[in-house]
Amino acid sequence: MSLLLLTLTAASAAPRECWTVKSVTGRVRDNVGHQGEELVYRLVAAGLRQAPPRAVYWPWPILPWSREVLEATLPDVEVASGDGAEAPKACLKGEKIWRPEYKRPQWPSIKIHGEARKRAYRHCNLYNTSRRTLVVRILQRRDSSEYVVGVKRRTEVCGGGGIKRNLRDVDELKATISAAAKRAGISLVFETDYVENSAPGSFCDQLRRFATADVLVSVHGAHLVNAPWIAPGGLLLEALPYGHKRKKHHARLLRNTDLEYVRVCGVRPSSSLPKKES
């Protein structure tokens, strides 16, 4: 995907008064994972790295998660969005294309990421994330929709029951993690949580699932756009489904942070499945 551009609207006497987000199509418009990665976190990082704008003009519908992230991390910035939405008063007529100084990753430094996370925690009334025992949270996805990638994918890969793109062999996974922790002399506790694809909750609900974990284990999906909110010094273990080993969305999302990233890749579950089905 080509680098998405943000348009900076400003008068010469008052630079950076308004940032206008250019309209986009495709997954960035309606998928929270892509919108967060390509637009929202870039806006947040830019607003913390330099003088933030007085307003962000998003002249097309913004996803609720995206709006609340901006409100949490840039609380003094007015956000106007929606098809035909009236531009904020700060948005003047003069306009020029503005590009982030960094292409990828989204966070230019550990310090800026840390400030964004601190503001988000404060917004969600989460102040103390220190724990004596490490929390390993296994986050499973539930999909109540009828859409799946083929019947075989549901029965042979996902186990049926309306669960799509999910972790299997969880007991074996726990045993492997426990053995590694024991060798390192680390005590830990496992917690399992579920997120509904169609109703993941508010931004703060989603943030708490990640912020209260030291190690977050989950399968690849848009919900992992919240990975930057994992507790300081934490780790994301992402399970990539068969056929998706080249995806690097969330590895990029955690560069220049104090968080670690590890991935495991699924093997081909059955020779009866097409090679490209994933």
Side-chain angles (χ1 to χ4, degrees):
M1 180 184 296
S2 61
L3 178 65
L4 295 171
L5 302 180
L6 303 179
T7 303
L8 174 62
T9 305
S12 58
R16 296 190 299 271
E17 282 203 348
C18 179
W19 293 352
T20 301
V21 182
K22 295 187 67 175
S23 182
V24 297
T25 59
R27 291 180 296 182
V28 176
R29 193 176 181 93
D30 54 20
N31 181 290
V32 68
H34 290 281
Q35 190 169 114
E37 178 189 358
E38 296 295 338
L39 291 178
V40 178
Y41 286 141
R42 295 185 191 280
L43 273 169
V44 171
L48 295 176
R49 187 178 189 180
Q50 55 189 301
R54 289 177 56 191
V56 169
Y57 182 36
W58 196 294
W60 45 286
I62 187 173
L63 295 176
W65 178 91
S66 299
R67 174 181 283 277
E68 192 162 0
V69 169
L70 294 176
E71 292 173 347
T73 55
L74 301 174
D76 297 325
V77 177
E78 177 187 0
V79 179
S81 68
D83 287 328
E86 183 177 350
K89 293 181 180 179
C91 296
L92 307 178
K93 293 182 179 180
E95 186 173 87
K96 65 179 181 180
I97 300 297
W98 174 78
R99 293 177 174 84
E101 295 180 12
Y102 49 92
K103 294 183 179 180
R104 298 179 189 273
Q106 283 71 16
W107 306 106
S109 70
I110 291 177
K111 181 179 179 180
I112 288 177
H113 166 254
E115 178 62 24
R117 182 173 54 197
K118 181 174 70 175
R119 292 185 180 200
Y121 281 13
R122 186 166 58 237
H123 175 82
C124 295
N125 295 316
L126 186 66
Y127 295 99
N128 184 9
T129 58
S130 61
R131 289 172 287 275
R132 293 184 178 180
T133 303
L134 290 180
V135 174
V136 179
R137 174 160 294 122
I138 297 175
L139 187 57
Q140 299 277 46
R141 294 176 18 147
R142 284 199 178 109
D143 185 7
S144 58
S145 70
E146 297 180 358
Y147 173 77
V148 291
V149 185
V151 174
K152 286 187 176 180
R153 185 172 193 276
R154 167 173 283 189
T155 59
E156 297 189 34
V157 182
C158 305
I163 298 178
K164 184 174 85 169
R165 201 196 289 178
N166 224 329
L167 290 169
R168 301 183 69 182
D169 303 319
V170 174
D171 290 339
E172 181 180 347
L173 175 65
K174 288 181 177 179
T176 301
I177 295 175
S178 295
K182 185 177 181 179
R183 289 193 297 270
I186 298 172
S187 60
L188 55 79
V189 60
F190 288 97
E191 295 180 359
T192 301
D193 200 356
Y194 296 86
V195 56
E196 297 285 349
N197 287 356
S198 59
S202 69
F203 164 68
C204 287
D205 291 336
Q206 297 178 61
L207 177 141
R208 290 188 185 96
R209 292 191 187 103
F210 288 75
T212 55
D214 300 289
V215 178
L216 196 289
V217 183
S218 190
V219 75
H220 175 81
H223 62 295
L224 292 184
V225 72
N226 292 290
W229 313 127
I230 291 174
L235 180 144
L236 170 65
L237 194 161
E238 179 181 21
L240 292 168
Y242 168 73
H244 286 257
K245 65 180 181 180
R246 295 183 179 180
K247 290 188 179 293
K248 299 180 180 179
H249 301 69
H250 305 113
R252 286 194 299 263
L253 205 55
L254 298 185
R255 289 179 189 167
N256 288 346
T257 73
D258 61 2
L259 303 172
E260 298 292 331
Y261 174 84
V262 176
R263 69 174 183 170
V264 294
C265 300
V267 297
R268 188 177 179 185
S270 170
S271 59
S272 66
L273 291 177
K275 290 185 177 181
K276 292 186 177 180
E277 183 163 292
S278 55

